[in-house]
Amino acid sequence: PIPDDLADICLSAFSSNSVNSPELQKEVFSILQSLDVEIRENVICKHTEYNIDAVVLLKNGSEIAVDVDDPTNYVGREPTGSTVLKRRQLKVLGKRPLMSIPYWKWNELNSREEKQNFLEAEIKTILSETK
């Protein structure tokens, strides 16, 4: 068994990092929509069978898979093994680029404008890497 004082510390640390994943996704999707893109939510990748939080359809016809990562996808700020594997397989087999949005990066952004700028920059980076 874990000593009570250590259990309290662990519980406190876990609780302070908790994020309501559906609310996080909802906020990310709302801000993506403000960028004037089409969004399909909860898409199953036909090549890997992974659930993708969303696929963003850009005006130029490009598609980007979006994975909004909550604390269960990380140990500290490092992705878990299953998260790394999913990302790798989606990038190689998924037939579209992947944009991962870590909850802790998102939470560091203070305003809607900062979040829009973050998403725009991520999309531009992905598009420049796929050319």
Side-chain angles (χ1 to χ4, degrees), residues 84-103:
V84 171
L85 179 62
K86 178 181 178 181
R87 288 177 184 171
R88 186 177 303 140
Q89 290 179 336
L90 282 171
K91 285 179 182 176
V92 173
L93 304 172
K95 308 296 184 193
R96 62 175 69 93
L98 175 66
M99 176 170 58
S100 296
I101 302 172
Y103 76 96

Side-chain angles (χ1 to χ4, degrees), residues 1-11:
I2 298 174
D4 287 342
D5 58 337
L6 181 57
D8 290 341
I9 291 169
C10 292
L11 179 61

Side-chain angles (χ1 to χ4, degrees), residues 47-112:
H47 303 287
T48 64
E49 296 298 317
Y50 279 117
N51 182 43
I52 302 169
D53 293 330
V55 172
V56 173
L57 307 168
L58 304 175
K59 294 224 184 268
N60 68 2
S62 300
E63 293 185 354
I64 298 174
V66 178
D67 231 13
V68 181
D69 294 332
D70 64 25
T72 63
N73 297 103
Y74 295 91
V75 176
R77 290 194 173 182
E78 292 298 317
T80 63
S82 60
T83 298
V84 171
L85 179 62
K86 178 181 178 181
R87 288 177 184 171
R88 186 177 303 140
Q89 290 179 336
L90 282 171
K91 285 179 182 176
V92 173
L93 304 172
K95 308 296 184 193
R96 62 175 69 93
L98 175 66
M99 176 170 58
S100 296
I101 302 172
Y103 76 96
W104 49 270
K105 272 189 182 177
W106 189 256
N107 289 343
E108 290 172 353
L109 303 170
N110 296 312
S111 68
R112 186 171 180 87

Side-chain angles (χ1 to χ4, degrees), residues 14-76:
F14 180 78
S15 298
S16 69
N17 286 329
S18 66
V19 171
N20 185 336
S21 187
E23 290 302 314
L24 176 63
Q25 285 182 3
K26 194 178 192 180
E27 182 182 23
V28 170
F29 297 164
S30 169
I31 293 175
L32 277 169
Q33 286 173 328
S34 75
L35 302 178
D36 200 28
V37 297
E38 185 181 330
I39 299 173
R40 292 189 319 236
E41 295 181 31
N42 297 313
V43 175
I44 301 294
C45 176
K46 65 182 176 182
H47 303 287
T48 64
E49 296 298 317
Y50 279 117
N51 182 43
I52 302 169
D53 293 330
V55 172
V56 173
L57 307 168
L58 304 175
K59 294 224 184 268
N60 68 2
S62 300
E63 293 185 354
I64 298 174
V66 178
D67 231 13
V68 181
D69 294 332
D70 64 25
T72 63
N73 297 103
Y74 295 91
V75 176

